[in-house]
Amino acid sequence: MNGSSPNPFLEETAFYNRIVLGSLVPNSLWAPLPHFFQTWLRNYLGGTLLYIVSGVLWCFYIYYLKRSVYIPKDAIPSNKAMLLQIYVAMKAMPWYSALPTISEYMVENGWARCFSRISDVSWLAYLMYIAIYLIFVEFGIYWMHRELHDIKPLYKYLHATHHIYNKQNTLSPFAGLAFHPLDGILQAVPHVIALFVVPMHFTTHIALLFMEAIWTANIHDCIHSKIWPVMGAGYHTIHHTTYRHNYGHYTIWMDWMFGTLRDPIDDELKVL
C-alpha cells in the first residue's frame, strides 16, 4: 500500500492554476514557476480580470444603458475619477493577491479546518458551516472596518485613501477595491482567520474571497437596493458621507447590534 495519499487541496489549486494560467499566459512563462508563485499569478490575473470586467460592465449598464434611471445625471462620476480609482486598485492588486495565495498555502499544508468535498460532511453540515463562517466574517469585517476609523493612525495612513471618495459623484463600482493595499488586506483577513475556527469547504472559501470584488463594486454604486437586511449601496453611501455609520459588510445586523446603523430611508424622510 502506498504510504502517501494525494493531497486533494494541492490537486485542486494546481487544477485552477492550469485552467487560468493555461488560458492567459504562455506555458513556458508560468509552468517553471514554483507552485506558490503560480497560485499568486493566477490570483493576480483572475482578480484583475474580475475587477476590470465586472466594473466596466456594471458602469456601462448603470451610467450609459440606464443613464439617469438609477442615478441622477449630475451624480455620475467622471471618467477621470473612475480611472483614478482603477489606478489605486491596480497598484494594490499584487498585494491583495497575496492573501488568497497564503490562505491556499495554509490549506494545502493542512493548517486550516477545510474539507475538500461536501460529501465529507453532508449538505446540512455544509450549509451550517457556511452560515457560521459568514457570521464570523461579518463580525470580523465590521470590527476591523470600525477600528480603521477609530484608531486615528490607521485611518490617517491607511483608510483615508479610500475615503477621498466621499460624495455620490465620486463613488463608482471601481471604488470598491480602491484602498491602500494593507487596508484592503486587513478587511479581508477575517475570511482567512475563519478557516482556523470554522470547518469550511475549500472551493466555497475561494469563491467567497473572489466574490468580494463583485460585492464591493455593488456597495459603491450608490443604488439603494432596499433588500432587508442587506448592507446595500444606500447604507454604504451614508458611510462614505458620515464616516461614523454602517461599517458592516454583507448585512446591517452588526451595525444594528452595536449602535452604528443609519438607514437611508430615514435620511430621505428627513430631507423631505
mmCIF file of all heavy atoms in Angstrom, residues 213-261:
data_model
loop_
_atom_site.group_PDB
_atom_site.id
_atom_site.type_symbol
_atom_site.label_atom_id
_atom_site.label_comp_id
_atom_site.label_asym_id
_atom_site.label_seq_id
_atom_site.Cartn_x
_atom_site.Cartn_y
_atom_site.Cartn_z
ATOM 1 N N ALA A 213 -14.861 41.044 -4.797
ATOM 2 C CA ALA A 213 -14.713 42.060 -5.854
ATOM 3 C C ALA A 213 -16.066 42.484 -6.391
ATOM 4 O O ALA A 213 -16.298 43.677 -6.664
ATOM 5 C CB ALA A 213 -13.844 41.513 -6.991
ATOM 6 N N ILE A 214 -16.983 41.521 -6.539
ATOM 7 C CA ILE A 214 -18.328 41.840 -7.011
ATOM 8 C C ILE A 214 -19.110 42.592 -5.946
ATOM 9 O O ILE A 214 -19.780 43.594 -6.224
ATOM 10 C CB ILE A 214 -19.084 40.547 -7.400
ATOM 11 C CG1 ILE A 214 -18.301 39.757 -8.443
ATOM 12 C CG2 ILE A 214 -20.485 40.865 -7.883
ATOM 13 C CD1 ILE A 214 -18.167 40.430 -9.770
ATOM 14 N N TRP A 215 -19.010 42.107 -4.709
ATOM 15 C CA TRP A 215 -19.784 42.715 -3.630
ATOM 16 C C TRP A 215 -19.346 44.156 -3.361
ATOM 17 O O TRP A 215 -20.177 45.046 -3.182
ATOM 18 C CB TRP A 215 -19.665 41.890 -2.353
ATOM 19 C CG TRP A 215 -20.524 42.458 -1.255
ATOM 20 C CD1 TRP A 215 -20.115 43.090 -0.123
ATOM 21 C CD2 TRP A 215 -21.953 42.466 -1.228
ATOM 22 N NE1 TRP A 215 -21.193 43.500 0.614
ATOM 23 C CE2 TRP A 215 -22.338 43.120 -0.047
ATOM 24 C CE3 TRP A 215 -22.939 41.994 -2.086
ATOM 25 C CZ2 TRP A 215 -23.669 43.314 0.310
ATOM 26 C CZ3 TRP A 215 -24.275 42.177 -1.735
ATOM 27 C CH2 TRP A 215 -24.625 42.830 -0.558
ATOM 28 N N THR A 216 -18.037 44.385 -3.321
ATOM 29 C CA THR A 216 -17.577 45.747 -3.046
ATOM 30 C C THR A 216 -17.928 46.697 -4.188
ATOM 31 O O THR A 216 -18.175 47.880 -3.966
ATOM 32 C CB THR A 216 -16.063 45.791 -2.776
ATOM 33 O OG1 THR A 216 -15.362 45.222 -3.892
ATOM 34 C CG2 THR A 216 -15.708 45.035 -1.519
ATOM 35 N N ALA A 217 -17.977 46.185 -5.420
ATOM 36 C CA ALA A 217 -18.467 47.007 -6.532
ATOM 37 C C ALA A 217 -19.921 47.384 -6.289
ATOM 38 O O ALA A 217 -20.331 48.542 -6.465
ATOM 39 C CB ALA A 217 -18.320 46.256 -7.854
ATOM 40 N N ASN A 218 -20.705 46.419 -5.842
ATOM 41 C CA ASN A 218 -22.129 46.638 -5.604
ATOM 42 C C ASN A 218 -22.380 47.725 -4.569
ATOM 43 O O ASN A 218 -23.220 48.608 -4.771
ATOM 44 C CB ASN A 218 -22.770 45.321 -5.154
ATOM 45 C CG ASN A 218 -24.165 45.505 -4.597
ATOM 46 O OD1 ASN A 218 -25.066 45.934 -5.298
ATOM 47 N ND2 ASN A 218 -24.338 45.182 -3.328
ATOM 48 N N ILE A 219 -21.657 47.701 -3.453
ATOM 49 C CA ILE A 219 -21.964 48.649 -2.379
ATOM 50 C C ILE A 219 -21.372 50.036 -2.623
ATOM 51 O O ILE A 219 -21.573 50.936 -1.804
ATOM 52 C CB ILE A 219 -21.527 48.108 -0.999
ATOM 53 C CG1 ILE A 219 -20.015 47.893 -0.925
ATOM 54 C CG2 ILE A 219 -22.278 46.831 -0.667
ATOM 55 C CD1 ILE A 219 -19.534 47.483 0.471
ATOM 56 N N HIS A 220 -20.676 50.198 -3.735
ATOM 57 C CA HIS A 220 -20.145 51.528 -4.069
ATOM 58 C C HIS A 220 -20.830 52.148 -5.287
ATOM 59 O O HIS A 220 -20.366 53.169 -5.794
ATOM 60 C CB HIS A 220 -18.629 51.457 -4.300
ATOM 61 C CG HIS A 220 -17.847 51.241 -3.040
ATOM 62 N ND1 HIS A 220 -17.574 49.987 -2.537
ATOM 63 C CD2 HIS A 220 -17.296 52.119 -2.167
ATOM 64 C CE1 HIS A 220 -16.881 50.108 -1.420
ATOM 65 N NE2 HIS A 220 -16.700 51.386 -1.164
ATOM 66 N N ASP A 221 -21.929 51.551 -5.746
ATOM 67 C CA ASP A 221 -22.576 52.109 -6.944
ATOM 68 C C ASP A 221 -23.670 53.130 -6.624
ATOM 69 O O ASP A 221 -24.290 53.685 -7.530
ATOM 70 C CB ASP A 221 -23.118 50.997 -7.846
ATOM 71 C CG ASP A 221 -24.287 50.224 -7.225
ATOM 72 O OD1 ASP A 221 -24.788 50.635 -6.161
ATOM 73 O OD2 ASP A 221 -24.701 49.206 -7.821
ATOM 74 N N CYS A 222 -23.920 53.365 -5.314
ATOM 75 C CA CYS A 222 -24.869 54.387 -4.838
ATOM 76 C C CYS A 222 -26.331 54.068 -5.163
ATOM 77 O O CYS A 222 -27.186 54.945 -5.047
ATOM 78 C CB CYS A 222 -24.518 55.768 -5.392
ATOM 79 S SG CYS A 222 -22.897 56.372 -4.888
ATOM 80 N N ILE A 223 -26.634 52.838 -5.552
ATOM 81 C CA ILE A 223 -28.016 52.462 -5.847
ATOM 82 C C ILE A 223 -28.567 51.689 -4.653
ATOM 83 O O ILE A 223 -28.094 50.597 -4.336
ATOM 84 C CB ILE A 223 -28.105 51.591 -7.117
ATOM 85 C CG1 ILE A 223 -27.530 52.353 -8.317
ATOM 86 C CG2 ILE A 223 -29.541 51.179 -7.387
ATOM 87 C CD1 ILE A 223 -27.388 51.498 -9.566
ATOM 88 N N HIS A 224 -29.561 52.261 -3.983
ATOM 89 C CA HIS A 224 -30.112 51.635 -2.782
ATOM 90 C C HIS A 224 -31.073 50.523 -3.187
ATOM 91 O O HIS A 224 -32.127 50.775 -3.773
ATOM 92 C CB HIS A 224 -30.825 52.677 -1.928
ATOM 93 C CG HIS A 224 -31.351 52.135 -0.633
ATOM 94 N ND1 HIS A 224 -30.719 51.125 0.060
ATOM 95 C CD2 HIS A 224 -32.459 52.450 0.091
ATOM 96 C CE1 HIS A 224 -31.401 50.849 1.159
ATOM 97 N NE2 HIS A 224 -32.471 51.641 1.190
ATOM 98 N N SER A 225 -30.706 49.287 -2.855
ATOM 99 C CA SER A 225 -31.495 48.132 -3.306
ATOM 100 C C SER A 225 -32.734 47.884 -2.452
ATOM 101 O O SER A 225 -33.673 47.229 -2.889
ATOM 102 C CB SER A 225 -30.620 46.881 -3.308
ATOM 103 O OG SER A 225 -30.096 46.636 -2.011
ATOM 104 N N LYS A 226 -32.727 48.355 -1.211
ATOM 105 C CA LYS A 226 -33.874 48.213 -0.303
ATOM 106 C C LYS A 226 -34.259 46.751 -0.090
ATOM 107 O O LYS A 226 -35.426 46.386 -0.100
ATOM 108 C CB LYS A 226 -35.080 49.006 -0.823
ATOM 109 C CG LYS A 226 -34.808 50.499 -0.983
ATOM 110 C CD LYS A 226 -36.024 51.248 -1.505
ATOM 111 C CE LYS A 226 -35.705 52.721 -1.719
ATOM 112 N NZ LYS A 226 -36.849 53.475 -2.257
ATOM 113 N N ILE A 227 -33.238 45.904 0.071
ATOM 114 C CA ILE A 227 -33.474 44.491 0.361
ATOM 115 C C ILE A 227 -33.004 44.217 1.791
ATOM 116 O O ILE A 227 -31.795 44.153 2.047
ATOM 117 C CB ILE A 227 -32.723 43.578 -0.630
ATOM 118 C CG1 ILE A 227 -33.145 43.874 -2.064
ATOM 119 C CG2 ILE A 227 -32.980 42.108 -0.298
ATOM 120 C CD1 ILE A 227 -32.344 43.116 -3.109
ATOM 121 N N TRP A 228 -33.928 44.110 2.715
ATOM 122 C CA TRP A 228 -33.570 43.858 4.118
ATOM 123 C C TRP A 228 -33.110 42.422 4.276
ATOM 124 O O TRP A 228 -33.701 41.519 3.676
ATOM 125 C CB TRP A 228 -34.791 44.107 5.012
ATOM 126 C CG TRP A 228 -34.481 44.023 6.464
ATOM 127 C CD1 TRP A 228 -34.103 45.039 7.291
ATOM 128 C CD2 TRP A 228 -34.523 42.838 7.274
ATOM 129 N NE1 TRP A 228 -33.892 44.572 8.557
ATOM 130 C CE2 TRP A 228 -34.140 43.211 8.577
ATOM 131 C CE3 TRP A 228 -34.824 41.495 7.024
ATOM 132 C CZ2 TRP A 228 -34.062 42.301 9.626
ATOM 133 C CZ3 TRP A 228 -34.743 40.571 8.073
ATOM 134 C CH2 TRP A 228 -34.367 40.988 9.357
ATOM 135 N N PRO A 229 -32.043 42.128 5.041
ATOM 136 C CA PRO A 229 -31.191 43.020 5.838
ATOM 137 C C PRO A 229 -29.852 43.296 5.148
ATOM 138 O O PRO A 229 -28.825 43.416 5.807
ATOM 139 C CB PRO A 229 -30.979 42.193 7.096
ATOM 140 C CG PRO A 229 -30.858 40.776 6.561
ATOM 141 C CD PRO A 229 -31.774 40.701 5.355
ATOM 142 N N VAL A 230 -29.859 43.385 3.828
ATOM 143 C CA VAL A 230 -28.622 43.531 3.075
ATOM 144 C C VAL A 230 -28.021 44.921 3.275
ATOM 145 O O VAL A 230 -28.729 45.938 3.220
ATOM 146 C CB VAL A 230 -28.869 43.274 1.571
ATOM 147 C CG1 VAL A 230 -27.617 43.573 0.749
ATOM 148 C CG2 VAL A 230 -29.328 41.841 1.350
ATOM 149 N N MET A 231 -26.714 44.974 3.502
ATOM 150 C CA MET A 231 -25.979 46.237 3.597
ATOM 151 C C MET A 231 -25.669 46.696 2.175
ATOM 152 O O MET A 231 -24.565 46.517 1.658
ATOM 153 C CB MET A 231 -24.683 46.040 4.395
ATOM 154 C CG MET A 231 -23.787 47.267 4.489
ATOM 155 S SD MET A 231 -24.509 48.654 5.354
ATOM 156 C CE MET A 231 -24.364 48.122 7.057
ATOM 157 N N GLY A 232 -26.671 47.264 1.536
ATOM 158 C CA GLY A 232 -26.517 47.681 0.149
ATOM 159 C C GLY A 232 -25.839 49.028 0.014
ATOM 160 O O GLY A 232 -25.379 49.635 0.988
ATOM 161 N N ALA A 233 -25.817 49.521 -1.210
ATOM 162 C CA ALA A 233 -25.098 50.761 -1.510
ATOM 163 C C ALA A 233 -25.721 51.971 -0.822
ATOM 164 O O ALA A 233 -25.024 52.937 -0.514
ATOM 165 C CB ALA A 233 -25.056 50.981 -3.016
ATOM 166 N N GLY A 234 -27.036 51.940 -0.590
ATOM 167 C CA GLY A 234 -27.658 53.062 0.113
ATOM 168 C C GLY A 234 -27.059 53.258 1.489
ATOM 169 O O GLY A 234 -26.764 54.393 1.906
ATOM 170 N N TYR A 235 -26.861 52.161 2.202
ATOM 171 C CA TYR A 235 -26.236 52.233 3.527
ATOM 172 C C TYR A 235 -24.768 52.635 3.416
ATOM 173 O O TYR A 235 -24.268 53.456 4.191
ATOM 174 C CB TYR A 235 -26.336 50.878 4.230
ATOM 175 C CG TYR A 235 -27.716 50.510 4.692
ATOM 176 C CD1 TYR A 235 -28.538 49.695 3.924
ATOM 177 C CD2 TYR A 235 -28.210 50.972 5.917
ATOM 178 C CE1 TYR A 235 -29.815 49.345 4.349
ATOM 179 C CE2 TYR A 235 -29.470 50.631 6.358
ATOM 180 C CZ TYR A 235 -30.273 49.821 5.573
ATOM 181 O OH TYR A 235 -31.531 49.481 6.013
ATOM 182 N N HIS A 236 -24.071 52.045 2.456
ATOM 183 C CA HIS A 236 -22.635 52.297 2.374
ATOM 184 C C HIS A 236 -22.326 53.716 1.878
ATOM 185 O O HIS A 236 -21.295 54.285 2.236
ATOM 186 C CB HIS A 236 -21.953 51.259 1.476
ATOM 187 C CG HIS A 236 -20.476 51.199 1.699
ATOM 188 N ND1 HIS A 236 -19.905 50.677 2.840
ATOM 189 C CD2 HIS A 236 -19.435 51.622 0.936
ATOM 190 C CE1 HIS A 236 -18.591 50.774 2.765
ATOM 191 N NE2 HIS A 236 -18.270 51.337 1.614
ATOM 192 N N THR A 237 -23.206 54.275 1.077
ATOM 193 C CA THR A 237 -23.011 55.670 0.662
ATOM 194 C C THR A 237 -23.073 56.590 1.875
ATOM 195 O O THR A 237 -22.291 57.547 1.982
ATOM 196 C CB THR A 237 -24.082 56.073 -0.377
ATOM 197 O OG1 THR A 237 -23.989 55.196 -1.499
ATOM 198 C CG2 THR A 237 -23.863 57.511 -0.850
ATOM 199 N N ILE A 238 -23.985 56.294 2.818
ATOM 200 C CA ILE A 238 -24.035 57.060 4.071
ATOM 201 C C ILE A 238 -22.720 56.928 4.825
ATOM 202 O O ILE A 238 -22.201 57.912 5.381
ATOM 203 C CB ILE A 238 -25.221 56.580 4.944
ATOM 204 C CG1 ILE A 238 -26.539 57.039 4.322
ATOM 205 C CG2 ILE A 238 -25.080 57.083 6.378
ATOM 206 C CD1 ILE A 238 -27.772 56.505 5.017
ATOM 207 N N HIS A 239 -22.158 55.730 4.835
ATOM 208 C CA HIS A 239 -20.866 55.537 5.499
ATOM 209 C C HIS A 239 -19.800 56.457 4.910
ATOM 210 O O HIS A 239 -18.982 57.031 5.635
ATOM 211 C CB HIS A 239 -20.410 54.079 5.369
ATOM 212 C CG HIS A 239 -19.016 53.855 5.866
ATOM 213 N ND1 HIS A 239 -18.709 53.840 7.208
ATOM 214 C CD2 HIS A 239 -17.834 53.689 5.203
ATOM 215 C CE1 HIS A 239 -17.404 53.658 7.349
ATOM 216 N NE2 HIS A 239 -16.854 53.564 6.150
ATOM 217 N N HIS A 240 -19.817 56.621 3.607
ATOM 218 C CA HIS A 240 -18.808 57.464 2.958
ATOM 219 C C HIS A 240 -19.056 58.959 3.177
ATOM 220 O O HIS A 240 -18.163 59.759 2.885
ATOM 221 C CB HIS A 240 -18.756 57.163 1.457
ATOM 222 C CG HIS A 240 -17.829 56.045 1.112
ATOM 223 N ND1 HIS A 240 -16.526 56.241 0.708
ATOM 224 C CD2 HIS A 240 -18.000 54.697 1.132
ATOM 225 C CE1 HIS A 240 -15.948 55.072 0.489
ATOM 226 N NE2 HIS A 240 -16.824 54.117 0.735
ATOM 227 N N THR A 241 -20.215 59.321 3.649
ATOM 228 C CA THR A 241 -20.503 60.741 3.870
ATOM 229 C C THR A 241 -20.487 61.132 5.347
ATOM 230 O O THR A 241 -20.192 62.273 5.681
ATOM 231 C CB THR A 241 -21.859 61.130 3.253
ATOM 232 O OG1 THR A 241 -22.885 60.279 3.784
ATOM 233 C CG2 THR A 241 -21.825 60.993 1.734
ATOM 234 N N THR A 242 -20.796 60.171 6.259
ATOM 235 C CA THR A 242 -20.778 60.496 7.696
ATOM 236 C C THR A 242 -19.544 59.948 8.394
ATOM 237 O O THR A 242 -19.179 60.448 9.456
ATOM 238 C CB THR A 242 -22.015 59.926 8.409
ATOM 239 O OG1 THR A 242 -21.911 58.489 8.477
ATOM 240 C CG2 THR A 242 -23.308 60.325 7.694
ATOM 241 N N TYR A 243 -18.943 58.882 7.859
ATOM 242 C CA TYR A 243 -17.733 58.247 8.395
ATOM 243 C C TYR A 243 -17.969 57.497 9.710
ATOM 244 O O TYR A 243 -17.063 56.830 10.196
ATOM 245 C CB TYR A 243 -16.610 59.285 8.639
ATOM 246 C CG TYR A 243 -16.133 60.009 7.421
ATOM 247 C CD1 TYR A 243 -16.859 61.076 6.895
ATOM 248 C CD2 TYR A 243 -14.957 59.652 6.782
ATOM 249 C CE1 TYR A 243 -16.429 61.757 5.765
ATOM 250 C CE2 TYR A 243 -14.512 60.321 5.654
ATOM 251 C CZ TYR A 243 -15.254 61.373 5.146
ATOM 252 O OH TYR A 243 -14.816 62.039 4.029
ATOM 253 N N ARG A 244 -19.153 57.590 10.295
ATOM 254 C CA ARG A 244 -19.385 57.023 11.628
ATOM 255 C C ARG A 244 -20.503 55.995 11.648
ATOM 256 O O ARG A 244 -20.912 55.566 12.722
ATOM 257 C CB ARG A 244 -19.736 58.145 12.632
ATOM 258 C CG ARG A 244 -18.771 59.305 12.656
ATOM 259 C CD ARG A 244 -17.360 58.893 12.973
ATOM 260 N NE ARG A 244 -17.235 58.229 14.257
ATOM 261 C CZ ARG A 244 -16.120 57.630 14.685
ATOM 262 N NH1 ARG A 244 -15.051 57.588 13.895
ATOM 263 N NH2 ARG A 244 -16.083 57.053 15.856
ATOM 264 N N HIS A 245 -21.024 55.626 10.515
ATOM 265 C CA HIS A 245 -22.161 54.705 10.473
ATOM 266 C C HIS A 245 -21.919 53.604 9.436
ATOM 267 O O HIS A 245 -21.099 53.757 8.529
ATOM 268 C CB HIS A 245 -23.448 55.450 10.115
ATOM 269 C CG HIS A 245 -23.806 56.550 11.050
ATOM 270 N ND1 HIS A 245 -23.377 57.852 10.860
ATOM 271 C CD2 HIS A 245 -24.531 56.551 12.199
ATOM 272 C CE1 HIS A 245 -23.826 58.610 11.847
ATOM 273 N NE2 HIS A 245 -24.529 57.852 12.672
ATOM 274 N N ASN A 246 -22.691 52.522 9.582
ATOM 275 C CA ASN A 246 -22.781 51.484 8.552
ATOM 276 C C ASN A 246 -21.409 50.903 8.170
ATOM 277 O O ASN A 246 -20.996 50.959 7.018
ATOM 278 C CB ASN A 246 -23.506 52.029 7.317
ATOM 279 C CG ASN A 246 -24.891 52.570 7.655
ATOM 280 O OD1 ASN A 246 -25.390 52.362 8.754
ATOM 281 N ND2 ASN A 246 -25.501 53.251 6.718
ATOM 282 N N TYR A 247 -20.759 50.316 9.171
ATOM 283 C CA TYR A 247 -19.452 49.687 8.954
ATOM 284 C C TYR A 247 -19.587 48.254 8.426
ATOM 285 O O TYR A 247 -18.595 47.652 8.037
ATOM 286 C CB TYR A 247 -18.667 49.614 10.270
ATOM 287 C CG TYR A 247 -18.359 50.943 10.904
ATOM 288 C CD1 TYR A 247 -19.106 51.410 11.977
ATOM 289 C CD2 TYR A 247 -17.296 51.730 10.457
ATOM 290 C CE1 TYR A 247 -18.814 52.619 12.594
ATOM 291 C CE2 TYR A 247 -16.997 52.946 11.059
ATOM 292 C CZ TYR A 247 -17.763 53.382 12.131
ATOM 293 O OH TYR A 247 -17.474 54.584 12.727
ATOM 294 N N GLY A 248 -20.783 47.707 8.456
ATOM 295 C CA GLY A 248 -20.985 46.304 8.113
ATOM 296 C C GLY A 248 -20.649 45.988 6.668
ATOM 297 O O GLY A 248 -20.428 46.872 5.843
ATOM 298 N N HIS A 249 -20.677 44.701 6.368
ATOM 299 C CA HIS A 249 -20.224 44.260 5.049
ATOM 300 C C HIS A 249 -21.363 43.696 4.213
ATOM 301 O O HIS A 249 -21.767 44.294 3.222
ATOM 302 C CB HIS A 249 -19.120 43.219 5.215
ATOM 303 C CG HIS A 249 -18.384 42.933 3.954
ATOM 304 N ND1 HIS A 249 -17.782 43.920 3.196
ATOM 305 C CD2 HIS A 249 -18.134 41.771 3.301
ATOM 306 C CE1 HIS A 249 -17.208 43.384 2.137
ATOM 307 N NE2 HIS A 249 -17.411 42.078 2.171
ATOM 308 N N TYR A 250 -21.891 42.554 4.624
ATOM 309 C CA TYR A 250 -22.981 41.940 3.869
ATOM 310 C C TYR A 250 -24.354 42.365 4.391
ATOM 311 O O TYR A 250 -25.305 42.475 3.625
ATOM 312 C CB TYR A 250 -22.900 40.414 3.942
ATOM 313 C CG TYR A 250 -21.669 39.813 3.317
ATOM 314 C CD1 TYR A 250 -20.777 39.071 4.076
ATOM 315 C CD2 TYR A 250 -21.409 39.959 1.954
ATOM 316 C CE1 TYR A 250 -19.646 38.496 3.513
ATOM 317 C CE2 TYR A 250 -20.284 39.386 1.379
ATOM 318 C CZ TYR A 250 -19.418 38.657 2.169
ATOM 319 O OH TYR A 250 -18.306 38.088 1.600
ATOM 320 N N THR A 251 -24.459 42.540 5.705
ATOM 321 C CA THR A 251 -25.764 42.818 6.312
ATOM 322 C C THR A 251 -25.671 44.013 7.259
ATOM 323 O O THR A 251 -24.579 44.470 7.610
ATOM 324 C CB THR A 251 -26.289 41.604 7.112
ATOM 325 O OG1 THR A 251 -25.533 41.491 8.337
ATOM 326 C CG2 THR A 251 -26.159 40.311 6.307
ATOM 327 N N ILE A 252 -26.848 44.457 7.707
ATOM 328 C CA ILE A 252 -26.923 45.591 8.636
ATOM 329 C C ILE A 252 -26.903 45.127 10.094
ATOM 330 O O ILE A 252 -26.912 45.948 11.001
ATOM 331 C CB ILE A 252 -28.206 46.424 8.390
ATOM 332 C CG1 ILE A 252 -29.458 45.579 8.695
ATOM 333 C CG2 ILE A 252 -28.233 46.941 6.958
ATOM 334 C CD1 ILE A 252 -30.761 46.366 8.640
ATOM 335 N N TRP A 253 -26.848 43.809 10.336
ATOM 336 C CA TRP A 253 -27.040 43.289 11.688
ATOM 337 C C TRP A 253 -25.990 43.763 12.677
ATOM 338 O O TRP A 253 -26.316 44.103 13.819
ATOM 339 C CB TRP A 253 -27.106 41.763 11.657
ATOM 340 C CG TRP A 253 -28.378 41.257 11.044
ATOM 341 C CD1 TRP A 253 -29.574 41.920 10.992
ATOM 342 C CD2 TRP A 253 -28.592 40.008 10.394
ATOM 343 N NE1 TRP A 253 -30.517 41.167 10.344
ATOM 344 C CE2 TRP A 253 -29.951 39.977 9.959
ATOM 345 C CE3 TRP A 253 -27.781 38.914 10.119
ATOM 346 C CZ2 TRP A 253 -30.491 38.898 9.293
ATOM 347 C CZ3 TRP A 253 -28.328 37.829 9.457
ATOM 348 C CH2 TRP A 253 -29.673 37.822 9.053
ATOM 349 N N MET A 254 -24.727 43.779 12.292
ATOM 350 C CA MET A 254 -23.691 44.199 13.233
ATOM 351 C C MET A 254 -23.843 45.665 13.590
ATOM 352 O O MET A 254 -23.671 46.054 14.755
ATOM 353 C CB MET A 254 -22.299 43.919 12.652
ATOM 354 C CG MET A 254 -21.984 42.448 12.473
ATOM 355 S SD MET A 254 -22.028 41.529 14.032
ATOM 356 C CE MET A 254 -22.217 39.861 13.426
ATOM 357 N N ASP A 255 -24.176 46.494 12.615
ATOM 358 C CA ASP A 255 -24.411 47.910 12.923
ATOM 359 C C ASP A 255 -25.620 48.070 13.833
ATOM 360 O O ASP A 255 -25.622 48.921 14.733
ATOM 361 C CB ASP A 255 -24.620 48.700 11.624
ATOM 362 C CG ASP A 255 -23.328 48.924 10.879
ATOM 363 O OD1 ASP A 255 -22.539 49.796 11.294
ATOM 364 O OD2 ASP A 255 -23.085 48.220 9.883
ATOM 365 N N TRP A 256 -26.645 47.270 13.608
ATOM 366 C CA TRP A 256 -27.830 47.319 14.468
ATOM 367 C C TRP A 256 -27.471 46.893 15.893
ATOM 368 O O TRP A 256 -27.865 47.547 16.872
ATOM 369 C CB TRP A 256 -28.906 46.397 13.891
ATOM 370 C CG TRP A 256 -30.113 46.271 14.762
ATOM 371 C CD1 TRP A 256 -31.111 47.185 14.952
ATOM 372 C CD2 TRP A 256 -30.434 45.141 15.600
ATOM 373 N NE1 TRP A 256 -32.040 46.702 15.841
ATOM 374 C CE2 TRP A 256 -31.654 45.449 16.260
ATOM 375 C CE3 TRP A 256 -29.826 43.904 15.832
ATOM 376 C CZ2 TRP A 256 -32.266 44.570 17.152
ATOM 377 C CZ3 TRP A 256 -30.437 43.025 16.722
ATOM 378 C CH2 TRP A 256 -31.636 43.364 17.363
ATOM 379 N N MET A 257 -26.672 45.820 16.023
ATOM 380 C CA MET A 257 -26.301 45.315 17.344
ATOM 381 C C MET A 257 -25.421 46.297 18.117
ATOM 382 O O MET A 257 -25.563 46.448 19.334
ATOM 383 C CB MET A 257 -25.552 43.984 17.205
ATOM 384 C CG MET A 257 -26.426 42.808 16.835
ATOM 385 S SD MET A 257 -25.441 41.316 16.500
ATOM 386 C CE MET A 257 -24.599 41.102 18.068
ATOM 387 N N PHE A 258 -24.515 46.986 17.385
ATOM 388 C CA PHE A 258 -23.528 47.822 18.068
ATOM 389 C C PHE A 258 -23.823 49.324 17.954
ATOM 390 O O PHE A 258 -22.975 50.157 18.270
ATOM 391 C CB PHE A 258 -22.128 47.503 17.539
ATOM 392 C CG PHE A 258 -21.703 46.099 17.839
ATOM 393 C CD1 PHE A 258 -21.566 45.153 16.824
ATOM 394 C CD2 PHE A 258 -21.455 45.690 19.140
ATOM 395 C CE1 PHE A 258 -21.194 43.849 17.093
ATOM 396 C CE2 PHE A 258 -21.073 44.381 19.429
ATOM 397 C CZ PHE A 258 -20.940 43.450 18.398
ATOM 398 N N GLY A 259 -25.023 49.668 17.498
ATOM 399 C CA GLY A 259 -25.488 51.056 17.572
ATOM 400 C C GLY A 259 -24.929 52.000 16.532
ATOM 401 O O GLY A 259 -24.907 53.217 16.764
ATOM 402 N N THR A 260 -24.506 51.482 15.379
ATOM 403 C CA THR A 260 -23.935 52.373 14.359
ATOM 404 C C THR A 260 -24.758 52.384 13.069
ATOM 405 O O THR A 260 -24.304 52.905 12.053
ATOM 406 C CB THR A 260 -22.486 51.953 14.027
ATOM 407 O OG1 THR A 260 -22.456 50.556 13.681
ATOM 408 C CG2 THR A 260 -21.563 52.207 15.214
ATOM 409 N N LEU A 261 -25.955 51.834 13.132
ATOM 410 C CA LEU A 261 -26.781 51.755 11.924
ATOM 411 C C LEU A 261 -27.467 53.088 11.635
ATOM 412 O O LEU A 261 -28.004 53.735 12.520
ATOM 413 C CB LEU A 261 -27.844 50.669 12.083
ATOM 414 C CG LEU A 261 -28.749 50.430 10.865
ATOM 415 C CD1 LEU A 261 -27.933 49.908 9.687
ATOM 416 C CD2 LEU A 261 -29.866 49.454 11.215
#
